[in-house]
Amino acid sequence: VQQPQVLARIVSAVFALIVFACLVGDGYSSLPEDPELYCIFNHNGDACRYGIGIGVLAFLACIFFFMVDVYFPQISNTTDRKYLVLADLGFSGLWTFLWFIGFCFLTNQWSWTRAEDVYIEADSARAAITFSFFSIFSWALLLTFAYKRYKMGVEDFAQSYADPSSEVSAPYSSYPNISHESYQQPPFTHTAEAPEGYQPPPVY
């Protein structure tokens, strides 16, 4: 828990929880003469749905990657480690961008919202916009940590990898203490006297 990456992930989860809780709880209102609910962000339902969607997914992703951080030292398979780090890197980068879009979207719709359409929900709307802005930096920090861990893994792999083609194979040496000059004829080649006039076949 004391690792900076884990702390940043917990903070990001809290920010996401605040954003979608504000939008779910006070993001919709209704008029006395019309009981139908509408989004307080300029009556644009897409603004509320967008904020709720990225907030819920960000919260669930923080829980998942928090568990990954806990069990990451126990994962011995380098391929699994690589895919988890790449998933963290890609998701953090994507959600940094989506939080930026969400902040701009909510701010723009809030600026066009009429004051008579908002009552007590104004504080929740401002809180959703504020913590959307904070989420941009918290997820950018997670992106930085994920990139550092990925770069560290690549460098460790490069140091531990030895290219076999770079090693020049030494020629095979002959068996020690044996040379062609010291070669002796195998035993039992001339054990008997050959009869006169008979020439034994050459021994190869």
Side-chain angles (χ1 to χ4, degrees):
V1 178
Q2 297 178 353
Q3 295 179 1
Q5 183 173 356
V6 178
L7 293 176
R9 208 176 297 283
I10 294 175
V11 170
S12 299
V14 173
F15 289 169
L17 180 63
I18 294 174
V19 170
F20 81 76
C22 290
L23 293 177
V24 169
D26 296 325
Y28 293 90
S29 182
S30 62
L31 298 174
E33 63 274 9
D34 187 6
E36 185 178 358
L37 294 176
Y38 62 88
C39 180
I40 61 175
F41 288 91
N42 196 27
H43 290 241
N44 190 345
D46 292 336
C48 290
R49 285 191 292 269
Y50 184 89
I52 293 172
I54 63 173
V56 171
L57 292 177
F59 181 76
L60 296 176
C62 286
I63 295 177
F64 172 76
F65 285 111
F66 177 79
M67 300 303 297
V68 170
D69 292 334
V70 171
Y71 290 102
F72 192 80
Q74 303 177 14
I75 301 175
S76 58
N77 193 331
T78 56
T79 303
D80 294 340
R81 281 173 169 252
K82 177 183 177 182
Y83 288 148
L84 288 173
V85 172
L86 286 176
D88 188 13
L89 181 65
F91 192 89
S92 299
L94 177 62
W95 243 247
T96 302
F97 175 74
L98 292 181
W99 277 120
F100 175 76
I101 296 298
F103 168 73
C104 295
F105 189 23
L106 293 177
T107 303
N108 177 264
Q109 294 302 308
W110 182 248
S111 65
W112 290 97
T113 302
R114 297 179 299 176
E116 58 269 19
D117 292 339
V118 182
Y119 300 99
I120 60 174
E121 299 89 355
D123 292 337
S124 296
R126 295 189 185 97
I129 294 174
T130 301
F131 285 97
S132 296
F133 178 73
F134 291 158
S135 296
I136 299 173
F137 297 98
S138 65
W139 281 91
L141 189 60
L142 288 175
L143 176 63
T144 303
F145 287 137
Y147 177 74
K148 287 183 178 179
R149 184 156 66 174
Y150 173 75
K151 189 176 180 181
M152 188 183 304
V154 171
E155 290 176 353
D156 291 344
F157 178 78
Q159 291 177 0
S160 61
Y161 177 75
D163 190 1
S165 62
S166 61
E167 299 179 359
V168 180
S169 58
Y172 289 105
S173 59
S174 59
Y175 195 83
N177 301 326
I178 291 183
S179 62
H180 294 287
E181 290 78 16
S182 62
Y183 176 77
Q184 296 180 355
Q185 208 170 13
F188 310 111
T189 306
H190 299 285
T191 53
E193 288 274 341
E196 211 174 307
Y198 173 78
Q199 298 293 334
V203 178
Y204 294 97

